[in-house]
Amino acid sequence: MKLFLVGGFLGSGKTTAIIQAVSYLSQQGKKVGVITNDQGDQQVDTNFFRLHHISVEEVSGGCFCCNLPDLNRTIEALKIDGMPDAIFAESVGSCTDLIATVVNPLLYADSKMEIVLSIFADVELLLYWLMGDEKIFHENINYIYEKQLQEADILVVNKIDLLKTRELKRAKKLIEQYFGHRKILYQNSLDQESVATWTQTIIDHFSTPALKKSLEIDYERYGAGEAEMAWLDVEIGILTSDLDAVETGLIFVEKVYKRITDNGYSIGHLKFLLNDGKQQRKISYTAIKQPKIKQHYKRVKRDRVVILINARVQTEPVFLRKIISDVADELEISTGCKIIENKLSYFKPGYPKPSQRIPVFESAGNTDQ
């Protein structure tokens, strides 16, 4: 079985690319499954895949590396559900060391499994990091970002549509100075033809299964980096006495984003899934450019809307929780709406403790299980 493992930092566009890739393969008559992953238990992306009628399982409550038995279980569940030709497994965006803790243990357990690791990088965030003239995240988070890039079988530089032709030419020159020894793809994941190139590349990239060379990881820095990010998941319901619930929901989304940025908190990924009973819409914010959501959301008249929120932000969880609470209170007072919170959780990820780790260095055969 082919496993397309997809990693990369929060907000790098992994989910969008996978949806396009599944569509491309489905048009060729291939059966494809997806496994999502997150530190929390309420995943916007899982719901978003289901919205696109994609067969999906999830590993929640921790990264793949710390929940390897759950990853194996979900792989088997997808096999039972329909024996897919391939599975995309999307790792949580704060995770690294995937080769030693996921790829090699899976290969060690199943010699017939074929795995290729794609790492996605938002082109603008990558340029900030390479030039080093403006630090968006703290050093320990940057350490995770660096290690993610270093272990890619294929480095997918994503969101190139955000750059002008001249800017992209300069970006490619800089990126290839650092990563020219790797397979690099430049991609716009909103364009299926662009994603088709990546999809065909990962299909053709497989070789005879063998344990892969891994990285040396400073787990103290890795753990410290994850602990600098706050996680918040909550489902909120907005009820209005008229038919302005969707408009009120969009105001809520924009106010939460503005409050986070006004406080100077760097966003890893801030995701909202709005469900008005007729349509669902995913709205995403990252550390770089942000969408003008009111221009892209089809207007409907509803007296209620449900919003699932996944926030991954460089701050303390209690501060993030206060922002959500304050915005809800203010909106209730200013609009007369009623806002109800369900399934709230906010926390910092725990110290990474892989279920199994098989590092392979230059000497090869060096394992620690």
Side-chain angles (χ1 to χ4, degrees):
M1 188 202 72
K2 289 176 166 47
L3 181 68
F4 303 137
L5 184 58
V6 182
F9 197 66
L10 299 156
S12 57
K14 302 184 291 293
T15 299
T16 301
I18 292 171
I19 287 173
Q20 293 277 22
V22 171
S23 175
Y24 171 78
L25 290 172
S26 297
Q27 290 169 18
Q28 297 181 350
K30 303 293 186 182
K31 293 182 179 180
V32 187
V34 171
I35 301 172
T36 60
N37 178 220
D38 198 81
Q39 304 280 6
D41 294 324
Q42 302 177 72
Q43 297 186 36
V44 164
D45 290 340
T46 301
N47 288 278
F48 199 54
F49 281 118
R50 287 173 180 153
L51 178 62
H52 286 80
H53 308 291
I54 294 171
S55 178
V56 59
E57 296 282 341
E58 68 178 25
V59 173
S60 59
C63 54
F64 283 149
C65 66
C66 299
N67 289 280
L68 195 60
D70 281 352
L71 177 58
N72 279 312
R73 175 187 56 79
T74 54
I75 290 172
E76 292 305 314
L78 286 170
K79 286 181 181 179
I80 293 170
D81 188 49
M83 187 51 76
D85 297 293
I87 293 175
F88 286 90
E90 180 185 351
S91 174
V92 63
S94 61
C95 185
T96 189
D97 201 25
L98 291 171
I99 291 176
T101 63
V102 179
V103 176
N104 283 346
L106 290 176
L107 290 174
Y108 186 81
D110 184 355
S111 61
K112 295 182 180 179
M113 184 175 288
E114 299 174 288
I115 307 174
V116 63
L117 173 59
S118 298
I119 296 294
F120 275 62
D122 178 318
V123 64
E124 292 185 309
L125 183 59
L126 178 57
L127 290 176
Y128 273 105
W129 181 78
L130 287 174
M131 292 186 291
D133 55 357
E134 184 175 345
K135 298 297 184 182
I136 296 177
F137 296 103
H138 295 164
E139 285 301 323
N140 288 323
I141 298 176
N142 285 330
Y143 175 78
I144 294 173
Y145 186 73
E146 177 183 9
K147 292 302 178 181
Q148 288 176 338
L149 298 171
Q150 288 178 355
E151 66 176 352
D153 288 329
I154 299 170
L155 177 60
V156 182
V157 180
N158 198 26
K159 305 184 184 181
I160 61 170
D161 51 302
L162 300 179
L163 300 184
K164 297 177 181 179
T165 302
R166 183 176 297 178
E167 292 173 331
L168 180 58
K169 185 176 180 180
R170 289 198 297 264
K172 287 182 176 180
K173 184 175 181 180
L174 180 60
I175 291 166
E176 285 160 17
Q177 285 178 0
Y178 283 84
F179 302 106
H181 60 294
R182 298 193 179 279
K183 178 68 176 178
I184 305 174
L185 298 178
Y186 297 91
Q187 181 165 300
N188 168 13
S189 290
L190 297 173
D191 177 55
Q192 191 172 78
E193 184 176 341
S194 180
V195 176
T197 299
W198 167 58
T199 310
Q200 198 58 52
T201 300
I202 57 180
I203 290 171
D204 296 339
H205 194 81
F206 287 109
S207 57
T208 302
L211 299 187
K212 296 177 180 287
K213 180 184 174 183
S214 57
L215 303 177
E216 294 190 34
I217 299 289
D218 182 339
Y219 264 74
E220 293 302 317
R221 292 192 66 186
Y222 177 11
E226 287 209 293
E228 288 171 356
M229 299 292 292
W231 247 245
L232 181 143
D233 298 323
V234 66
E235 179 184 87
I236 68 164
I238 299 178
L239 296 90
T240 59
S241 57
D242 50 25
L243 297 176
D244 289 331
V246 173
E247 179 70 20
T248 304
L250 294 175
I251 293 171
F252 177 88
V253 167
E254 289 186 322
K255 281 184 173 293
V256 168
Y257 166 68
K258 188 174 187 303
R259 194 67 56 86
I260 289 171
T261 54
D262 284 352
N263 278 282
Y265 304 148
S266 296
I267 296 172
H269 208 176
L270 177 62
K271 295 181 281 189
F272 302 86
L273 188 66
L274 280 72
N275 183 351
D276 58 43
K278 289 291 185 180
Q279 64 173 330
Q280 294 186 60
R281 170 75 179 187
K282 180 181 175 183
I283 299 170
S284 294
Y285 296 93
T286 64
I288 311 294
K289 290 183 178 178
Q290 313 309 337
K292 296 179 179 179
I293 61 174
K294 290 190 177 182
Q295 294 181 6
H296 299 289
Y297 197 97
K298 182 180 178 181
R299 282 297 180 272
V300 293
K301 296 292 186 180
R302 298 283 182 268
D303 64 358
R304 64 193 61 201
V305 65
V306 176
I307 307 176
L308 178 60
I309 305 170
N310 289 167
R312 288 78 177 100
V313 179
Q314 183 180 269
T315 185
E316 292 297 318
V318 66
F319 298 157
L320 196 53
R321 195 277 174 273
K322 187 175 188 304
I323 286 174
I324 300 295
S325 179
D326 286 352
V327 170
D329 290 345
E330 292 166 12
L331 208 54
E332 284 188 323
I333 293 170
S334 64
T335 69
C337 72
K338 178 65 175 177
I339 297 180
I340 302 169
E341 290 184 354
N342 294 306
K343 305 175 184 177
L344 170 69
S345 64
Y346 53 103
F347 58 92
K348 286 182 176 293
Y351 187 86
K353 296 180 179 179
S355 303
Q356 187 177 14
R357 189 166 190 269
I358 304 181
V360 176
F361 304 121
E362 291 292 348
S363 59
N366 178 13
T367 63
D368 179 17
Q369 299 175 49

